[in-house]
Each structure stands twice: as C-alpha cells, then as structure tokens.
Amino acid sequence: MKRIFLNDQGILRSGWRAAVFLFAFFLVGSVLIVISINVITVVPAGETASAQLPVVIPFAVSTVIALVFGWLCAKVFEKLPYHSLGASFANGWFAHLAWGLAVGAVTFLLAIIITVASGSISFSFNAASAGQAIATTLLTTFVIFTVAAASEEALFRGYLLQTFARSDLKWFGIAMTSVLFAFAHNQNPGANPLALANTLLAGVWFAVAYFKTRDLWFPFGIHLAWNWLQGPVFGISVSGITGFAPDPLLRAEDVGPAWLTGANYGIEGGVACTVALIISLALIHYLPGFRAKQT
C-alpha cells in the first residue's frame, strides 16, 4: 500500500502531488475567482478598452494561487525552493522573456503570411477609430494579456507540468497539461475540433518552450506576443473573444475558407495556425544558445 503513494525515495508520487496541487488550486480558486468575477459584474460596463481592465482581477488571482500552491507543494513534497517554479527574476530571465516575445511574434506573423499569401485575409489600417482610442486599446490589452498569459503559464506550465518532469514523466506531463489547456478553451465562442486541436498543440508548444529554458519567462513571452498581436494589433479574435480590443490598430477582412483562417474563432481555429505552430515547435527544439536551468 505504501508504494502506491510513495516512490523509492520516500517522496509522494508525482500523480498524487499533481492531484493535491489541482485540488488546492480549484478549492481555493473556485471561491476567490468567483468572488473576483462578482466584483467585476458590479463595475460599470463600457465599450472602451479601458472598461475591460477589471478582467485582470480573476487572472491575477489565478496567477497568485497557482504560484503560491506550486511553491508550497514543491517545498512540502519535494523540498524545493520557490525559484524551482521558474517564475523568479533569476539570471537570464529578461533574455528569455525577450526571446519569447520574438518567437511568439515571428510564429504569429508566419500564420498571417500564410493566410495573406493565399488571399484569405487582408488587412487595412483602422481609420474608423481615433488615434487615442487605438492607443488605449493597445496599452490596456497589453496589461490584460500580460496577466492572462501569466495565469495560464503558472497553472499549466508551472508545478503541474514540472512535478511530472522531475519523475521522468516529461511527455506524460506535456500531454496531460496540453489536454487540460485545450479543455479550458472548450467553451470559448466558436470553438470547434480544429480550434481545440490547435490549442492542444499550442500547449505542447509552450511546454517545449518551458523545457528549453526551465523557466516560465520564455513560454510566457511567446504566449503574450501571440495574443497581443492577434487581437489589438491585427484585429483578429483571440480564441473566439473580441471584446478586449474594440479599437485595434488594423482591421481584418476574412474571406475564408474557415478551415484555413479560423473564421470567427480567429486564426487559432485554422490550418494556417497549425502549420505555424509545427514549424515553431521544431525551431524552438533546435534553437541554440539556451541552457536549461536545473531544478
């Protein structure tokens, strides 16, 4: 019976560690996140980008909960310090963040090039919105997507993925967290099998990026750049959501086909995204110049 719970080193097995982390996250998160969402509902709604800022509250709460319980689980079960999560300002964090922003931007632009070259999407400057409204959209959505990317990376590529990797179950951890990541987007507007498959693939993409540096800054930068360019800059739905960027820099005209461009779900729902992610995955895997931190 003891071996069901403990490994040869007398440490709680990774599956149980992950289960404890998830149970604690959802137990506390279900209360605090619901409270924060209720706080948002009493804030006067508006159609401007700045009116969307309160949405950072549940994202911020989720980030803190994931990091705190990730740290506690790492400390209690594996005698590891907080910096093992890869969310501290250790040496090289800024370079990894910068590389992540660059990789995310290049990957997104590759998907855009595929759709534009095929004549499926065209872009024009948003002349209907005032310059101040566009600037406000760009700034406020940068804050929103920063906190949103942090919350998802802390949860899916934080302790949950890392504890399996430390038990030599790296690929199981990648598969499980990527499935959970896709499932978290299942109720998004316009979600379909291809969109969810791409979201699962994106989960693998972020996980491979984590293992390249063994910190969260690299996948966080990729995640942030992709979302921010997609919505407020290029005027495309972000995983089916459009409300965050009412005054984007560019307006997209999508003439299809939907299987290539993603239609209302955004480019994440099309094959152009699939191709871009696969190419980027290969490049990240073979990208030189990074030395993964040991935890």
Side-chain angles (χ1 to χ4, degrees):
M1 179 66 70
K2 184 178 179 180
R3 290 185 61 82
I4 295 176
F5 296 98
L6 304 179
N7 61 21
D8 293 337
Q9 290 74 44
I11 299 173
L12 191 67
R13 292 186 178 276
S14 56
W16 293 111
R17 298 196 302 263
V20 170
F21 169 78
L22 282 175
F23 178 78
F25 177 86
F26 286 112
L27 180 66
V28 176
S30 62
V31 175
L32 296 183
I33 294 175
V34 167
I35 291 174
S36 64
I37 291 174
N38 287 333
V39 169
I40 292 175
T41 60
V42 302
V43 176
E47 297 182 356
T48 63
S50 57
Q52 306 297 324
L53 272 176
V55 79
V56 304
I57 298 173
F59 287 137
V61 169
S62 173
T63 304
V64 172
I65 294 172
L67 292 177
V68 167
F69 282 114
W71 165 61
L72 289 175
C73 288
K75 182 178 178 64
V76 172
F77 298 135
E78 301 176 76
K79 305 298 187 292
L80 294 171
Y82 172 79
H83 68 73
S84 67
L85 291 174
S88 60
F89 298 98
N91 290 339
W93 75 270
F94 187 77
H96 293 168
L97 172 60
W99 268 107
L101 292 171
V103 170
V106 169
T107 306
F108 176 76
L109 291 175
L110 175 58
I112 288 296
I113 289 171
I114 293 172
T115 59
V116 171
S118 67
S120 302
I121 295 182
S122 61
F123 296 93
S124 59
F125 179 73
N126 180 13
S129 298
Q132 182 178 356
I134 293 174
T136 299
T137 290
L138 293 173
L139 290 173
T140 56
T141 53
F142 188 82
V143 174
I144 292 171
F145 286 127
T146 293
V147 183
S151 70
E152 292 187 337
E153 294 311 308
L155 175 58
F156 296 108
R157 263 66 66 178
Y159 184 78
L160 191 59
L161 171 65
Q162 297 164 20
T163 195
F164 283 112
R166 285 189 288 269
S167 294
D168 296 325
L169 293 170
K170 170 182 172 180
W171 289 105
F172 173 80
I174 290 176
M176 189 195 77
T177 55
S178 297
V179 168
L180 290 176
F181 182 63
F183 181 77
H185 294 76
N186 186 49
Q187 297 301 315
N188 285 27
N192 56 54
L194 180 55
L196 294 178
N198 278 342
T199 306
L200 189 152
L201 182 60
V204 177
W205 184 40
F206 295 136
V208 169
Y210 163 76
F211 286 112
K212 193 67 180 182
T213 60
R214 292 279 179 169
D215 68 31
L216 295 175
W217 294 106
F218 189 32
F220 164 72
I222 294 173
H223 201 152
L224 170 58
W226 176 281
N227 283 347
W228 188 68
L229 286 175
Q230 187 173 200
V233 175
F234 281 83
I236 299 173
S237 299
V238 180
S239 300
I241 299 172
T242 59
F244 292 150
D247 299 290
L249 179 64
L250 302 175
R251 293 289 186 184
E253 183 179 355
D254 187 340
V255 297
W259 61 264
L260 180 64
T261 66
N264 293 334
Y265 191 82
I267 206 164
E268 295 166 346
V271 171
C273 174
T274 311
V275 173
L277 291 181
I278 291 173
I279 293 173
S280 186
L281 260 169
L283 292 177
I284 288 173
H285 182 72
Y286 293 106
L287 188 68
F290 288 124
R291 178 176 295 177
K293 296 179 176 67
Q294 299 300 315
T295 58

